[in-house]
Amino acid sequence: PWNVYLECLDDTLADKAAAIMEEICKNDNFGYSQPNRWAGYNAIVNNGRKVAGAKGDFDCSSLVLACYILAGLSIAASGYTGNMKSILLATGKFKAYTDAAHIGSSEYAKRGGIYLKESSHVVMALGRGTKASGTASGASQSQATAAGNKNYVGKGIGSATAKSNMNVRTGSSTASGSIGGVTKGASVEVLEILANGWYKIVWPGASCGHAYTSNAGGQYYTYVANGSTAGNASLKPVGAQSKDPKLAGKYKTTAPLNMRARPGVLKNDNIIMEIPKGATVQNYGFYTMVQGVKWLYVAYGGKVGFSSEEYLKKA
C-alpha cells in the first residue's frame, strides 16, 4: 500500500529515532488518538524529554515525526501523512524512493526508514533489510573482514549466530551509534560477553577492530564457546535443594564452565550450554550440594541451570 519510502541519510539520527520508537511502543502509558495526536510528544517534552514517566497519545504520523524530533531532527511538532514527505525532504536528511523494489518489500529497509502512503498511513522500520545500503546495511562480519583492523581476528572466546538481522554498535547500548549489522544466519566472533548480555565482537570495519551487538536475554544469537559443543538448550533443570541468601549475587566464571540440568552429573548429555571464561552469571541463593561441592543454580544467556562453585568468583 505504500507509495514512497523515505530513507534517513544520517544513520545515527535514524537509529536514535528507532530506539525512541521502540521505547514508546513498549510503554503502555501511550495510546492512539487523532484528536490528541501530539499529547504523547508534549508529555515527553514536559517530562524532560524522557519517555519513562510520561503519558499521552499519538497517531501514526505524529508518532513517527515525534521520534525524529526527539532524536534531534530540527522540525516543528506538526505535520501529517499528507505533508510529512515534503517536511522531511526539506531537512536534507532524507531521500525518497518510489520504485517497486523499495516500496514493495522490506528488503531495502534501513532502521529508522519510513514507509508512507500519503494522506493515509505511515510506519517506521525498526530492522534492516538484507539489501539495505550504507553503513547500516546489515553486512555480515565475514564480509566486513575483507578490510580494516584485523588485530582481534581469531582471538575470540566463541562464536555467535544471529537469529535475526541485528545492529552492530560502537558501544554496548542502544544509545550508541550503529556502524553496521549482522544478517540473520551470519556468525560473528565473540571477544567478551558483558554483564548486560551484550557481546563485544570482532569487527574490522571499526577503526579499533571491535564493536558491540546485543544478545540481551539470550534472544538474538546462538552462542557456542570455542572448543565446545552447543549443548542442549532445551534441557529443563531439576530444582535446587537448598537456599542461602548470602550466596545470592553476580559471579564471574574463572574458566569455561558448563551449565548443567542436573548438579554433579558430568555427562555431555547433561549440558545445557557452555559459559565462557569471564562471563557474568546471576545466582539468587539457590544451590545443591554434591560430594562436598556447591552447585549454584545460575542464570545466564536466557537459560538457567547448575554450575560448580569451584569455577565461580563473586563479582
Side-chain angles (χ1 to χ4, degrees):
W2 316 113
N3 65 289
V4 62
Y5 170 69
L6 296 164
E7 181 178 288
C8 183
L9 304 177
D10 183 334
D11 283 343
T12 300
L13 175 66
D15 196 58
K16 287 182 179 178
I20 293 168
M21 174 69 78
E22 289 170 332
E23 188 176 2
I24 291 173
C25 290
K26 292 176 182 177
N27 192 321
D28 290 338
N29 284 331
F30 296 96
Y32 180 88
S33 171
Q34 287 191 326
N36 300 305
R37 56 196 296 268
W38 287 100
Y41 168 77
N42 291 329
I44 293 171
V45 171
N46 292 333
N47 191 44
R49 303 181 78 85
K50 296 179 181 179
V51 173
K55 183 176 182 179
D57 295 328
F58 296 93
D59 69 357
C60 61
S61 56
S62 66
L63 177 58
V64 171
L65 290 168
C67 288
Y68 267 102
I69 296 170
L70 293 167
L73 185 65
S74 182
I75 57 174
S78 63
Y80 72 110
T81 53
N83 65 2
M84 64 187 297
K85 172 185 170 183
S86 60
I87 290 173
L88 294 173
L89 290 177
T91 67
K93 291 185 176 292
F94 289 83
K95 181 177 180 179
Y97 293 88
T98 57
D99 59 289
H102 280 84
I103 65 175
S105 78
S106 60
E107 287 186 323
Y108 290 88
K110 289 177 66 175
R111 182 168 166 82
I114 298 170
Y115 286 93
L116 173 65
K117 184 176 183 181
E118 292 176 278
S119 298
S120 179
H121 191 42
V122 63
V123 297
M124 179 187 289
L126 299 179
R128 302 194 189 284
T130 57
K131 297 181 180 179
S133 62
T135 58
S137 65
S140 68
Q141 183 189 35
S142 59
Q143 294 169 320
T145 56
N149 184 342
K150 299 183 181 181
N151 288 341
Y152 292 97
V153 174
K155 298 180 181 179
I157 60 173
S159 64
T161 302
K163 299 178 183 178
S164 59
N165 291 344
M166 292 298 298
N167 287 303
V168 173
R169 301 179 183 275
T170 56
S172 57
S173 79
T174 55
S176 301
S178 175
I179 56 173
V182 182
T183 55
K184 180 180 179 180
S187 295
V188 292
E189 186 177 357
V190 178
L191 292 166
E192 183 181 355
I193 299 176
L194 307 182
N196 63 356
W198 283 63
Y199 291 155
K200 179 180 179 181
I201 62 171
V202 175
W203 198 258
S207 59
C208 58
H210 67 263
Y212 300 85
T213 188
S214 174
N215 194 35
Q219 302 177 71
Y220 308 118
Y221 287 90
T222 300
Y223 176 79
V224 179
N226 287 345
S228 75
T229 60
N232 184 353
S234 65
L235 287 175
K236 303 297 183 184
V238 299
Q241 295 178 358
S242 305
K243 183 178 182 181
D244 181 354
K246 294 180 181 179
L247 290 175
K250 293 181 178 180
Y251 290 78
K252 286 275 190 181
T253 57
T254 60
L257 181 61
N258 287 322
M259 177 191 287
R260 298 180 179 273
R262 291 166 290 165
V265 181
L266 305 181
K267 295 182 179 180
N268 288 340
D269 62 3
N270 184 41
I271 298 173
I272 297 173
M273 67 185 299
E274 182 178 284
I275 305 171
K277 179 181 178 180
T280 301
V281 302
Q282 178 72 51
N283 172 265
Y284 295 96
F286 295 98
Y287 71 98
T288 295
M289 290 290 295
V290 179
Q291 296 181 345
V293 176
K294 283 191 180 78
W295 285 76
L296 302 187
Y297 192 74
V298 299
Y300 175 79
K303 301 295 179 183
V304 292
F306 292 91
S307 292
S308 172
E309 187 188 37
E310 293 180 319
Y311 302 98
L312 293 167
K313 183 178 180 181
K314 204 75 174 284

